[in-house]
Amino acid sequence: MKPQYTTATYSADEETKKQTESNGFPAMAPKKTPAVPRPSASVLVISPNNQVLLLQRVKKASSFPSAHVFPGGNVSEPHDGRVPAPDAPDRHVDSKVYRNAAIRETFEESGILLARNNGFGRLIEVPEAERQEGRVAVHSNQTTFPKWLAQKGGRADVDGLIPFTRWVTPTNVPKRFTTQMYLYFLPTLSSTPLADSAKADSEEEFKVPVPTTDGGLEHTTARFLPASAWLRLAQEGRIILFPPQFFLLHHVAQHFDNLQNPTAYGSISRDSLSRDELEARRKALVEFVKTDSPPWTDKVISPIVVPARDGQKRDDKRSLLGLDKPGPELAGSGRSGVKDQCVLVNFRKEGPRQLAVVSREDALNAKL
């Protein structure tokens, strides 16, 4: 539906201030030099029945307070390795260091261990009490994650991670991140085996641990739900999702949830699916991630507010976020984000609301 516009003059500075405050930070005065983005990694962990893991941040978090987020966090050199220097283009490229961080943070924050057994190569299983002890020991730097994992006879499953965009925080926010996003598929499990026996493996009996919080240090809940269910909860104002999470969940939902139309998040079927169908939907998502130019594995997105073409702002108070720019650190590098889609969002003090993934052309022409 086409929105009505006020006669007020659009102010990009005003929208940027609102965007900054919605991240939980005070609005910044203009700076000549933006903060250096901190290397970080995050994972869309996909459950055996194709649901997505989200954690709720504590209210007092220094960034994204109370929001639901994918597990992830900053690279830690003692645990993960060293990333290139801030002025090196390779700093913003997928690498083993980012993958190590993604797997370690997922373990620390949810207790789910994305690691392989050194002997048989299947996903490793560690008793709950030992996992809890390990989470505390790694988080408090009593030991390094690789050392703890080796003691359990395992290694981080870095090859199981599939890159799914990189996000660079806009320059108006005092804490900036260069975050490599990944997909990780836990093995599908079913009483009905795959029709193609060649696909069956020893992971059929793997037991996925129930995700748990980190005891309230950074998160208060940890739960798997269908991507569409998370999106619907956000649109109903029951949870807070930031644009990167909402945007990626939207695209996962297109392949996993058999929606009546792309944004009909409430139309998801509750019928159980066969293992073959679960695998087919995963294959479709992986094929999608490898498409486009650049492919979604290589896209770099630094969302910025896009002024309306008529110079006026929307009556519904939503801002339009462009997703095509990679951020100032990668200007002139040839890398880019998503050109034909944007995110509409109402930046409020408590966080983003009324999010929607829209066509860039329709949004700029005031058709949405």
Side-chain angles (χ1 to χ4, degrees), residues 32 65 78 108 132 137 148 172 187 193 196 220 275 287 307 317 364:
K32 292 183 180 180
E108 287 186 32
Q132 290 301 108
W148 178 85
N172 60 294
D196 181 359
T220 58
R275 192 178 179 196
E287 289 176 350
K317 298 181 180 180
L364 290 176

Side-chain angles (χ1 to χ4, degrees), residues 292-294 299-301 323-326 335-339:
D292 210 0
S293 181
K299 290 183 187 297
V300 183
I301 301 170
L323 307 176
D324 55 324
K325 305 299 183 184
R335 302 181 69 186
S336 62
V338 180
K339 299 178 177 62

